Amino acid sequence: MDDAVDLQETIALSMLMTWKCAVLDVPYGGAKGGIRVNPRKLSLNEKERIIRAYTAELVSFQAIGPAIDVPAPDMGTGPQEMSWIRDTYQLLNRQDINGIGVVTGKPVEVGGISGRTEATGLGVYYGIKHLMDRINDIAPHLGFATGLTKNNTVVIQGFGNVGSYTAEFFDQDATVTTIIEHDGYIHNPNGLDIAQLKKYHAAEGTITGFPGATTIKAKDINDTNQPLEIDCDILIPAAKELVINKDNMKNIKAKIIGEAANGPLSFEADEYLSNKGIVILPDLYLNAGGVCVSYFEWLKDLNHVRWGRMTKRLDGQRGKAIVDTLEASGVVISADTRELIQQGASERDFAHSALADQMIDSLDQIIENAIDYKIDLRTSAMTTSVRKVAKVIQLSGNVFT
């Protein structure tokens, strides 16, 4: 939902979704839809009526359904809007036993999945973390040690859903020095306390003024203190498109750029920075964590049971038996390790583990393709996706020939 939605952009985004699903081996065909309206100018009741009318139109044309097209939240929408879509579809299709799977990104209470909220930011973290595990396979000239460590400095633009979760997960292994928002940015060369920053942001509605960092407000930003140009190892634009362009591309000092936002680099900037030796992890792959966990939610809905419901207690009992046997044999096990072994996997554990596996596997495919053909990661991600789709079309054949 946005007042800039148009048909041409929607067509382009639907194609992008095809390649994004293919790069992560998610068996969706790829589609996109939108409503041209500014949701910030609507009351809750007006928004609900529009969403329900939109859904009813899609149903009338048989253009939506758990086996036809499965929407997910995007700009201007969230779990509540997805819940309205689910309710409207099921109202009009009471005989569809799988109707709850018509849409993803729903609240957990109405068929959503634990772990969907943080999925995109977590996918960004998993993708860049594995890139650092293999950085010397593709970019030894950068001089990094293998693996993500506290020595790696990270700058993140955006502190919404994607940016805040990205920062939270990176804070475990790296040093997040800078967070950039529309009203300014905060910087601490020794690292920000992200947990405290999230509390401050929730209370104050802004990151500026955070006591654990230096604040530079938007009105004070000039050519000498541009936040995207701060010297760092990893720069993660997680807000708007085209923030790195021909005007600032020559001043970018990051060695790695992770595109958590859609299209944060212009064509000129991408070409210039790639030729300069900077590694760019493309949005096509990096911000696909959301659609990947949407797929897991869809599978959950079609199975009519939450992940872990049938196995958590049994796995925990088996784990406890193993711990008891080891300790009886004199093996010393730490409290953290004991808890990890003894607790069965929850739905969130399943979602996070499966997302990590898919992000790692897909990046390995992209890297191997890049090495084989001596191409950058963006080109490799796209060609990997296109080849997968082409192979499916080839194997499927044409019923009319």
Side-chain angles (χ1 to χ4, degrees):
M1 295 181 81
D2 190 83
D3 49 13
V5 169
D6 62 61
L7 180 60
Q8 288 71 33
E9 181 190 41
T10 304
I11 292 171
L13 289 173
S14 70
M15 180 181 70
L16 178 63
M17 188 56 69
T18 298
W19 308 132
K20 187 172 288 191
C21 290
V23 80
L24 284 187
D25 295 317
V26 172
Y28 287 153
K32 206 71 174 181
I35 302 171
R36 186 189 293 181
V37 64
N38 186 344
R40 291 171 291 279
K41 294 182 179 180
L42 301 174
S43 68
L44 188 66
N45 180 259
E46 288 171 330
K47 185 185 283 190
E48 179 178 358
R49 288 162 58 195
I50 290 172
I51 290 288
R52 289 186 183 277
Y54 178 70
T55 306
E57 285 293 308
L58 291 174
V59 170
S60 70
F61 285 97
Q62 297 184 334
I64 189 174
I68 300 172
D69 182 30
V70 182
D74 205 326
M75 185 179 295
T77 60
Q80 178 61 77
E81 289 77 17
M82 301 304 104
S83 183
W84 289 330
I85 291 175
R86 187 273 314 169
D87 183 69
T88 306
Y89 177 84
Q90 289 194 299
L91 179 69
L92 299 172
N93 293 272
R94 292 188 179 277
Q95 77 290 349
D96 189 349
I97 193 174
N98 295 318
I100 198 170
V102 69
V103 67
T104 63
K106 304 181 295 294
V108 173
E109 295 83 355
V110 291
I113 187 171
S114 298
R116 176 62 175 82
T117 304
E118 67 271 24
T120 304
L122 183 58
V124 171
Y125 165 72
Y126 284 146
I128 295 177
K129 180 177 172 64
H130 190 54
L131 175 69
M132 294 302 294
D133 290 338
R134 298 203 56 184
I135 193 65
N136 289 308
D137 292 337
I138 57 171
H141 62 277
L142 294 179
F144 281 123
T146 299
L148 186 66
T149 72
K150 283 291 184 180
N151 293 325
N152 299 129
T153 54
V154 181
V155 171
I156 300 172
Q157 182 193 39
F159 205 65
N161 174 277
V162 177
S164 62
Y165 277 113
T166 298
E168 179 181 330
F169 292 120
F170 268 95
D171 192 42
Q172 303 169 14
D173 300 312
T175 301
V176 180
T177 64
T178 309
I179 301 289
I180 310 164
E181 269 279 68
H182 62 92
D183 56 348
Y185 68 94
I186 57 173
H187 177 74
N188 184 337
N190 297 316
L192 298 165
D193 186 331
I194 301 301
Q196 290 301 315
L197 177 59
K198 293 187 77 168
K199 292 179 182 178
Y200 179 87
H201 182 261
E204 303 295 331
T206 180
I207 62 169
T208 60
F210 178 61
T214 301
T215 293
I216 295 87
K217 293 194 173 181
K219 63 182 179 62
D220 299 320
I221 296 175
N222 54 53
D223 290 342
T224 66
N225 61 0
Q226 289 290 330
L228 290 173
E229 299 170 9
I230 290 174
D231 194 356
C232 64
D233 294 326
I234 303 166
L235 173 60
I236 304 175
K240 302 184 297 183
E241 68 274 6
L242 302 178
V243 294
I244 301 175
N245 49 58
K246 63 181 180 181
D247 296 328
N248 63 359
M249 62 187 187
K250 294 183 179 179
N251 299 323
I252 299 298
K253 301 179 183 68
K255 297 177 181 178
I256 294 171
I257 298 175
E259 293 186 326
N262 283 319
L265 274 71
S266 70
F267 174 79
E268 297 92 342
D270 180 70
E271 186 175 42
Y272 173 80
L273 294 170
S274 291
N275 290 337
K276 191 179 174 182
I278 293 174
V279 174
I280 301 170
L281 204 51
D283 53 354
L284 176 69
Y285 158 77
L286 192 60
N287 65 21
V291 70
C292 189
V293 177
S294 278
Y295 169 54
F296 303 153
E297 179 180 334
W298 181 69
L299 290 177
K300 169 190 174 179
D301 291 339
L302 296 187
N303 281 279
H304 303 278
V305 63
R306 73 170 186 269
W307 300 115
R309 183 168 189 172
M310 310 291 285
T311 58
K312 183 177 180 181
R313 182 171 295 276
L314 179 61
D315 288 344
Q317 291 171 341
R318 287 173 172 169
K320 185 178 186 305
I322 292 171
V323 169
D324 291 345
T325 301
L326 290 173
E327 289 184 331
S329 302
V331 177
V332 178
I333 300 175
S334 69
D336 288 344
T337 301
R338 183 187 300 110
E339 182 181 0
L340 180 64
I341 296 174
Q342 289 184 175
Q343 70 175 16
S346 67
E347 181 172 85
R348 177 173 269 103
D349 293 331
F350 274 107
H352 286 189
S353 176
L355 175 60
D357 183 68
Q358 195 57 69
M359 295 298 292
I360 290 169
D361 183 60
S362 296
L363 184 56
D364 282 338
Q365 295 176 31
I366 293 168
I367 289 174
E368 295 307 320
N369 190 51
I371 293 172
D372 289 345
Y373 292 95
K374 296 180 174 58
I375 52 180
D376 61 77
L377 295 181
R378 186 186 307 281
T379 306
S380 180
M382 178 59 80
T383 54
T384 298
S385 295
V386 172
R387 282 195 308 198
K388 289 177 182 178
V389 173
K391 185 66 173 178
V392 170
I393 292 173
Q394 178 189 20
L395 292 171
S396 300
N398 189 333
V399 71
F400 298 108
T401 59

